[in-house]
mmCIF file with all atom_site columns, all heavy atoms in Angstrom:
data_model
loop_
_atom_site.group_PDB
_atom_site.id
_atom_site.type_symbol
_atom_site.label_atom_id
_atom_site.label_alt_id
_atom_site.label_comp_id
_atom_site.label_asym_id
_atom_site.label_entity_id
_atom_site.label_seq_id
_atom_site.pdbx_PDB_ins_code
_atom_site.Cartn_x
_atom_site.Cartn_y
_atom_site.Cartn_z
_atom_site.occupancy
_atom_site.B_iso_or_equiv
_atom_site.pdbx_formal_charge
_atom_site.auth_seq_id
_atom_site.auth_comp_id
_atom_site.auth_asym_id
_atom_site.auth_atom_id
_atom_site.pdbx_PDB_model_num
ATOM 1   N N   . ARG S 1 387 ? 99.890  53.923 -12.259 1.00 96.00 ? 387 ARG S N   1
ATOM 2   C CA  . ARG S 1 387 ? 99.919  54.922 -11.186 1.00 96.00 ? 387 ARG S CA  1
ATOM 3   C C   . ARG S 1 387 ? 100.091 56.329 -11.760 1.00 96.00 ? 387 ARG S C   1
ATOM 4   O O   . ARG S 1 387 ? 99.394  57.260 -11.387 1.00 96.00 ? 387 ARG S O   1
ATOM 5   C CB  . ARG S 1 387 ? 101.019 54.579 -10.175 1.00 96.00 ? 387 ARG S CB  1
ATOM 6   C CG  . ARG S 1 387 ? 101.039 55.552 -9.018  1.00 96.00 ? 387 ARG S CG  1
ATOM 7   C CD  . ARG S 1 387 ? 101.885 55.153 -7.809  1.00 96.00 ? 387 ARG S CD  1
ATOM 8   N NE  . ARG S 1 387 ? 102.205 53.744 -7.732  1.00 96.00 ? 387 ARG S NE  1
ATOM 9   C CZ  . ARG S 1 387 ? 103.425 53.259 -8.004  1.00 96.00 ? 387 ARG S CZ  1
ATOM 10  N NH1 . ARG S 1 387 ? 104.392 54.058 -8.400  1.00 96.00 ? 387 ARG S NH1 1
ATOM 11  N NH2 . ARG S 1 387 ? 103.665 51.983 -7.884  1.00 96.00 ? 387 ARG S NH2 1
ATOM 12  N N   . TRP S 1 388 ? 101.013 56.487 -12.683 1.00 97.00 ? 388 TRP S N   1
ATOM 13  C CA  . TRP S 1 388 ? 101.242 57.801 -13.278 1.00 97.00 ? 388 TRP S CA  1
ATOM 14  C C   . TRP S 1 388 ? 99.956  58.364 -13.882 1.00 97.00 ? 388 TRP S C   1
ATOM 15  O O   . TRP S 1 388 ? 99.644  59.536 -13.712 1.00 97.00 ? 388 TRP S O   1
ATOM 16  C CB  . TRP S 1 388 ? 102.319 57.708 -14.365 1.00 97.00 ? 388 TRP S CB  1
ATOM 17  C CG  . TRP S 1 388 ? 103.706 57.546 -13.835 1.00 97.00 ? 388 TRP S CG  1
ATOM 18  C CD1 . TRP S 1 388 ? 104.114 57.697 -12.541 1.00 97.00 ? 388 TRP S CD1 1
ATOM 19  C CD2 . TRP S 1 388 ? 104.870 57.207 -14.589 1.00 97.00 ? 388 TRP S CD2 1
ATOM 20  N NE1 . TRP S 1 388 ? 105.457 57.459 -12.444 1.00 97.00 ? 388 TRP S NE1 1
ATOM 21  C CE2 . TRP S 1 388 ? 105.965 57.157 -13.695 1.00 97.00 ? 388 TRP S CE2 1
ATOM 22  C CE3 . TRP S 1 388 ? 105.112 56.949 -15.932 1.00 97.00 ? 388 TRP S CE3 1
ATOM 23  C CZ2 . TRP S 1 388 ? 107.253 56.852 -14.092 1.00 97.00 ? 388 TRP S CZ2 1
ATOM 24  C CZ3 . TRP S 1 388 ? 106.399 56.641 -16.337 1.00 97.00 ? 388 TRP S CZ3 1
ATOM 25  C CH2 . TRP S 1 388 ? 107.467 56.599 -15.425 1.00 97.00 ? 388 TRP S CH2 1
ATOM 26  N N   . LEU S 1 389 ? 99.249  57.491 -14.575 1.00 97.00 ? 389 LEU S N   1
ATOM 27  C CA  . LEU S 1 389 ? 98.044  57.993 -15.257 1.00 97.00 ? 389 LEU S CA  1
ATOM 28  C C   . LEU S 1 389 ? 96.951  58.321 -14.240 1.00 97.00 ? 389 LEU S C   1
ATOM 29  O O   . LEU S 1 389 ? 96.260  59.334 -14.359 1.00 97.00 ? 389 LEU S O   1
ATOM 30  C CB  . LEU S 1 389 ? 97.563  56.967 -16.294 1.00 97.00 ? 389 LEU S CB  1
ATOM 31  C CG  . LEU S 1 389 ? 98.505  56.828 -17.479 1.00 97.00 ? 389 LEU S CG  1
ATOM 32  C CD1 . LEU S 1 389 ? 98.257  55.558 -18.265 1.00 97.00 ? 389 LEU S CD1 1
ATOM 33  C CD2 . LEU S 1 389 ? 98.418  58.054 -18.415 1.00 97.00 ? 389 LEU S CD2 1
ATOM 34  N N   . HIS S 1 390 ? 96.832  57.483 -13.221 1.00 95.00 ? 390 HIS S N   1
ATOM 35  C CA  . HIS S 1 390 ? 95.872  57.770 -12.173 1.00 95.00 ? 390 HIS S CA  1
ATOM 36  C C   . HIS S 1 390 ? 96.210  59.079 -11.469 1.00 95.00 ? 390 HIS S C   1
ATOM 37  O O   . HIS S 1 390 ? 95.334  59.888 -11.180 1.00 95.00 ? 390 HIS S O   1
ATOM 38  C CB  . HIS S 1 390 ? 95.897  56.652 -11.110 1.00 95.00 ? 390 HIS S CB  1
ATOM 39  C CG  . HIS S 1 390 ? 94.803  55.670 -11.283 1.00 95.00 ? 390 HIS S CG  1
ATOM 40  N ND1 . HIS S 1 390 ? 93.471  56.022 -11.312 1.00 95.00 ? 390 HIS S ND1 1
ATOM 41  C CD2 . HIS S 1 390 ? 94.811  54.319 -11.444 1.00 95.00 ? 390 HIS S CD2 1
ATOM 42  C CE1 . HIS S 1 390 ? 92.722  54.960 -11.481 1.00 95.00 ? 390 HIS S CE1 1
ATOM 43  N NE2 . HIS S 1 390 ? 93.507  53.894 -11.564 1.00 95.00 ? 390 HIS S NE2 1
ATOM 44  N N   . GLU S 1 391 ? 97.477  59.260 -11.196 1.00 96.00 ? 391 GLU S N   1
ATOM 45  C CA  . GLU S 1 391 ? 97.894  60.426 -10.443 1.00 96.00 ? 391 GLU S CA  1
ATOM 46  C C   . GLU S 1 391 ? 98.094  61.644 -11.334 1.00 96.00 ? 391 GLU S C   1
ATOM 47  O O   . GLU S 1 391 ? 98.571  62.673 -10.879 1.00 96.00 ? 391 GLU S O   1
ATOM 48  C CB  . GLU S 1 391 ? 99.186  60.113 -9.666  1.00 96.00 ? 391 GLU S CB  1
ATOM 49  C CG  . GLU S 1 391 ? 98.935  59.095 -8.573  1.00 96.00 ? 391 GLU S CG  1
ATOM 50  C CD  . GLU S 1 391 ? 100.211 58.664 -7.835  1.00 96.00 ? 391 GLU S CD  1
ATOM 51  O OE1 . GLU S 1 391 ? 101.318 59.116 -8.235  1.00 96.00 ? 391 GLU S OE1 1
ATOM 52  O OE2 . GLU S 1 391 ? 100.097 57.862 -6.889  1.00 96.00 ? 391 GLU S OE2 1
ATOM 53  N N   . LYS S 1 392 ? 97.728  61.481 -12.604 1.00 97.00 ? 392 LYS S N   1
ATOM 54  C CA  . LYS S 1 392 ? 97.798  62.600 -13.560 1.00 97.00 ? 392 LYS S CA  1
ATOM 55  C C   . LYS S 1 392 ? 99.169  63.278 -13.537 1.00 97.00 ? 392 LYS S C   1
ATOM 56  O O   . LYS S 1 392 ? 99.281  64.508 -13.373 1.00 97.00 ? 392 LYS S O   1
ATOM 57  C CB  . LYS S 1 392 ? 96.690  63.615 -13.269 1.00 97.00 ? 392 LYS S CB  1
ATOM 58  C CG  . LYS S 1 392 ? 95.290  63.012 -13.313 1.00 97.00 ? 392 LYS S CG  1
ATOM 59  C CD  . LYS S 1 392 ? 94.257  64.097 -13.587 1.00 97.00 ? 392 LYS S CD  1
ATOM 60  C CE  . LYS S 1 392 ? 92.820  63.574 -13.622 1.00 97.00 ? 392 LYS S CE  1
ATOM 61  N NZ  . LYS S 1 392 ? 92.626  62.314 -14.331 1.00 97.00 ? 392 LYS S NZ  1
ATOM 62  N N   . LYS S 1 393 ? 100.203 62.471 -13.683 1.00 97.00 ? 393 LYS S N   1
ATOM 63  C CA  . LYS S 1 393 ? 101.556 63.037 -13.666 1.00 97.00 ? 393 LYS S CA  1
ATOM 64  C C   . LYS S 1 393 ? 101.796 63.829 -14.960 1.00 97.00 ? 393 LYS S C   1
ATOM 65  O O   . LYS S 1 393 ? 101.205 63.537 -16.011 1.00 97.00 ? 393 LYS S O   1
ATOM 66  C CB  . LYS S 1 393 ? 102.588 61.912 -13.582 1.00 97.00 ? 393 LYS S CB  1
ATOM 67  C CG  . LYS S 1 393 ? 102.552 61.152 -12.271 1.00 97.00 ? 393 LYS S CG  1
ATOM 68  C CD  . LYS S 1 393 ? 102.985 61.994 -11.093 1.00 97.00 ? 393 LYS S CD  1
ATOM 69  C CE  . LYS S 1 393 ? 103.183 61.145 -9.848  1.00 97.00 ? 393 LYS S CE  1
ATOM 70  N NZ  . LYS S 1 393 ? 103.014 61.927 -8.602  1.00 97.00 ? 393 LYS S NZ  1
ATOM 71  N N   . SER S 1 394 ? 102.707 64.787 -14.857 1.00 98.00 ? 394 SER S N   1
ATOM 72  C CA  . SER S 1 394 ? 103.017 65.595 -16.048 1.00 98.00 ? 394 SER S CA  1
ATOM 73  C C   . SER S 1 394 ? 104.067 64.879 -16.882 1.00 98.00 ? 394 SER S C   1
ATOM 74  O O   . SER S 1 394 ? 104.789 64.023 -16.395 1.00 98.00 ? 394 SER S O   1
ATOM 75  C CB  . SER S 1 394 ? 103.561 66.951 -15.630 1.00 98.00 ? 394 SER S CB  1
ATOM 76  O OG  . SER S 1 394 ? 104.875 66.790 -15.163 1.00 98.00 ? 394 SER S OG  1
ATOM 77  N N   . ILE S 1 395 ? 104.146 65.290 -18.125 1.00 98.00 ? 395 ILE S N   1
ATOM 78  C CA  . ILE S 1 395 ? 105.137 64.695 -19.035 1.00 98.00 ? 395 ILE S CA  1
ATOM 79  C C   . ILE S 1 395 ? 106.541 64.881 -18.478 1.00 98.00 ? 395 ILE S C   1
ATOM 80  O O   . ILE S 1 395 ? 107.415 64.019 -18.634 1.00 98.00 ? 395 ILE S O   1
ATOM 81  C CB  . ILE S 1 395 ? 105.008 65.292 -20.460 1.00 98.00 ? 395 ILE S CB  1
ATOM 82  C CG1 . ILE S 1 395 ? 106.073 64.733 -21.407 1.00 98.00 ? 395 ILE S CG1 1
ATOM 83  C CG2 . ILE S 1 395 ? 105.143 66.791 -20.451 1.00 98.00 ? 395 ILE S CG2 1
ATOM 84  C CD1 . ILE S 1 395 ? 105.642 63.562 -22.140 1.00 98.00 ? 395 ILE S CD1 1
ATOM 85  N N   . LEU S 1 396 ? 106.760 65.988 -17.778 1.00 98.00 ? 396 LEU S N   1
ATOM 86  C CA  . LEU S 1 396 ? 108.087 66.238 -17.240 1.00 98.00 ? 396 LEU S CA  1
ATOM 87  C C   . LEU S 1 396 ? 108.416 65.210 -16.160 1.00 98.00 ? 396 LEU S C   1
ATOM 88  O O   . LEU S 1 396 ? 109.513 64.645 -16.128 1.00 98.00 ? 396 LEU S O   1
ATOM 89  C CB  . LEU S 1 396 ? 108.154 67.661 -16.643 1.00 98.00 ? 396 LEU S CB  1
ATOM 90  C CG  . LEU S 1 396 ? 107.776 68.751 -17.643 1.00 98.00 ? 396 LEU S CG  1
ATOM 91  C CD1 . LEU S 1 396 ? 107.624 70.091 -16.944 1.00 98.00 ? 396 LEU S CD1 1
ATOM 92  C CD2 . LEU S 1 396 ? 108.831 68.831 -18.737 1.00 98.00 ? 396 LEU S CD2 1
ATOM 93  N N   . TYR S 1 397 ? 107.444 64.959 -15.298 1.00 98.00 ? 397 TYR S N   1
ATOM 94  C CA  . TYR S 1 397 ? 107.660 63.963 -14.252 1.00 98.00 ? 397 TYR S CA  1
ATOM 95  C C   . TYR S 1 397 ? 107.900 62.576 -14.857 1.00 98.00 ? 397 TYR S C   1
ATOM 96  O O   . TYR S 1 397 ? 108.824 61.852 -14.478 1.00 98.00 ? 397 TYR S O   1
ATOM 97  C CB  . TYR S 1 397 ? 106.440 63.920 -13.313 1.00 98.00 ? 397 TYR S CB  1
ATOM 98  C CG  . TYR S 1 397 ? 106.583 62.903 -12.202 1.00 98.00 ? 397 TYR S CG  1
ATOM 99  C CD1 . TYR S 1 397 ? 107.112 63.271 -10.968 1.00 98.00 ? 397 TYR S CD1 1
ATOM 100 C CD2 . TYR S 1 397 ? 106.224 61.561 -12.396 1.00 98.00 ? 397 TYR S CD2 1
ATOM 101 C CE1 . TYR S 1 397 ? 107.261 62.343 -9.942  1.00 98.00 ? 397 TYR S CE1 1
ATOM 102 C CE2 . TYR S 1 397 ? 106.385 60.634 -11.385 1.00 98.00 ? 397 TYR S CE2 1
ATOM 103 C CZ  . TYR S 1 397 ? 106.904 61.032 -10.160 1.00 98.00 ? 397 TYR S CZ  1
ATOM 104 O OH  . TYR S 1 397 ? 107.065 60.103 -9.161  1.00 98.00 ? 397 TYR S OH  1
ATOM 105 N N   . VAL S 1 398 ? 107.065 62.248 -15.818 1.00 98.00 ? 398 VAL S N   1
ATOM 106 C CA  . VAL S 1 398 ? 107.146 60.920 -16.442 1.00 98.00 ? 398 VAL S CA  1
ATOM 107 C C   . VAL S 1 398 ? 108.520 60.697 -17.067 1.00 98.00 ? 398 VAL S C   1
ATOM 108 O O   . VAL S 1 398 ? 109.167 59.677 -16.841 1.00 98.00 ? 398 VAL S O   1
ATOM 109 C CB  . VAL S 1 398 ? 106.019 60.753 -17.469 1.00 98.00 ? 398 VAL S CB  1
ATOM 110 C CG1 . VAL S 1 398 ? 106.312 59.605 -18.414 1.00 98.00 ? 398 VAL S CG1 1
ATOM 111 C CG2 . VAL S 1 398 ? 104.689 60.560 -16.781 1.00 98.00 ? 398 VAL S CG2 1
ATOM 112 N N   . LEU S 1 399 ? 109.001 61.697 -17.798 1.00 98.00 ? 399 LEU S N   1
ATOM 113 C CA  . LEU S 1 399 ? 110.288 61.518 -18.463 1.00 98.00 ? 399 LEU S CA  1
ATOM 114 C C   . LEU S 1 399 ? 111.419 61.461 -17.449 1.00 98.00 ? 399 LEU S C   1
ATOM 115 O O   . LEU S 1 399 ? 112.363 60.690 -17.585 1.00 98.00 ? 399 LEU S O   1
ATOM 116 C CB  . LEU S 1 399 ? 110.516 62.627 -19.481 1.00 98.00 ? 399 LEU S CB  1
ATOM 117 C CG  . LEU S 1 399 ? 109.624 62.524 -20.730 1.00 98.00 ? 399 LEU S CG  1
ATOM 118 C CD1 . LEU S 1 399 ? 109.826 63.725 -21.625 1.00 98.00 ? 399 LEU S CD1 1
ATOM 119 C CD2 . LEU S 1 399 ? 109.900 61.229 -21.500 1.00 98.00 ? 399 LEU S CD2 1
ATOM 120 N N   . GLU S 1 400 ? 111.280 62.282 -16.432 1.00 98.00 ? 400 GLU S N   1
ATOM 121 C CA  . GLU S 1 400 ? 112.323 62.300 -15.405 1.00 98.00 ? 400 GLU S CA  1
ATOM 122 C C   . GLU S 1 400 ? 112.460 60.916 -14.744 1.00 98.00 ? 400 GLU S C   1
ATOM 123 O O   . GLU S 1 400 ? 113.550 60.469 -14.392 1.00 98.00 ? 400 GLU S O   1
ATOM 124 C CB  . GLU S 1 400 ? 111.957 63.352 -14.349 1.00 98.00 ? 400 GLU S CB  1
ATOM 125 C CG  . GLU S 1 400 ? 113.031 63.592 -13.327 1.00 98.00 ? 400 GLU S CG  1
ATOM 126 C CD  . GLU S 1 400 ? 112.588 64.647 -12.306 1.00 98.00 ? 400 GLU S CD  1
ATOM 127 O OE1 . GLU S 1 400 ? 111.565 65.349 -12.570 1.00 98.00 ? 400 GLU S OE1 1
ATOM 128 O OE2 . GLU S 1 400 ? 113.227 64.750 -11.270 1.00 98.00 ? 400 GLU S OE2 1
ATOM 129 N N   . HIS S 1 401 ? 111.329 60.227 -14.592 1.00 98.00 ? 401 HIS S N   1
ATOM 130 C CA  . HIS S 1 401 ? 111.343 58.937 -13.907 1.00 98.00 ? 401 HIS S CA  1
ATOM 131 C C   . HIS S 1 401 ? 111.164 57.767 -14.861 1.00 98.00 ? 401 HIS S C   1
ATOM 132 O O   . HIS S 1 401 ? 110.790 56.666 -14.448 1.00 98.00 ? 401 HIS S O   1
ATOM 133 C CB  . HIS S 1 401 ? 110.233 58.906 -12.852 1.00 98.00 ? 401 HIS S CB  1
ATOM 134 C CG  . HIS S 1 401 ? 110.411 59.938 -11.798 1.00 98.00 ? 401 HIS S CG  1
ATOM 135 N ND1 . HIS S 1 401 ? 109.784 61.163 -11.849 1.00 98.00 ? 401 HIS S ND1 1
ATOM 136 C CD2 . HIS S 1 401 ? 111.169 59.941 -10.671 1.00 98.00 ? 401 HIS S CD2 1
ATOM 137 C CE1 . HIS S 1 401 ? 110.139 61.884 -10.798 1.00 98.00 ? 401 HIS S CE1 1
ATOM 138 N NE2 . HIS S 1 401 ? 110.990 61.172 -10.064 1.00 98.00 ? 401 HIS S NE2 1
ATOM 139 N N   . LEU S 1 402 ? 111.500 58.000 -16.106 1.00 98.00 ? 402 LEU S N   1
ATOM 140 C CA  . LEU S 1 402 ? 111.211 56.985 -17.121 1.00 98.00 ? 402 LEU S CA  1
ATOM 141 C C   . LEU S 1 402 ? 111.880 55.643 -16.834 1.00 98.00 ? 402 LEU S C   1
ATOM 142 O O   . LEU S 1 402 ? 111.360 54.588 -17.178 1.00 98.00 ? 402 LEU S O   1
ATOM 143 C CB  . LEU S 1 402 ? 111.644 57.507 -18.497 1.00 98.00 ? 402 LEU S CB  1
ATOM 144 C CG  . LEU S 1 402 ? 110.981 56.853 -19.709 1.00 98.00 ? 402 LEU S CG  1
ATOM 145 C CD1 . LEU S 1 402 ? 109.481 56.980 -19.635 1.00 98.00 ? 402 LEU S CD1 1
ATOM 146 C CD2 . LEU S 1 402 ? 111.502 57.487 -20.996 1.00 98.00 ? 402 LEU S CD2 1
#
Side-chain angles (χ1 to χ4, degrees):
Chain S
R387 183 167 341 105
W388 286 349
L389 291 163
H390 261 304
E391 293 176 356
K392 302 203 181 318
K393 294 293 191 205
S394 75
I395 177 92
L396 304 170
Y397 179 92
V398 163
L399 289 175
E400 187 180 347
H401 298 96
L402 201 57

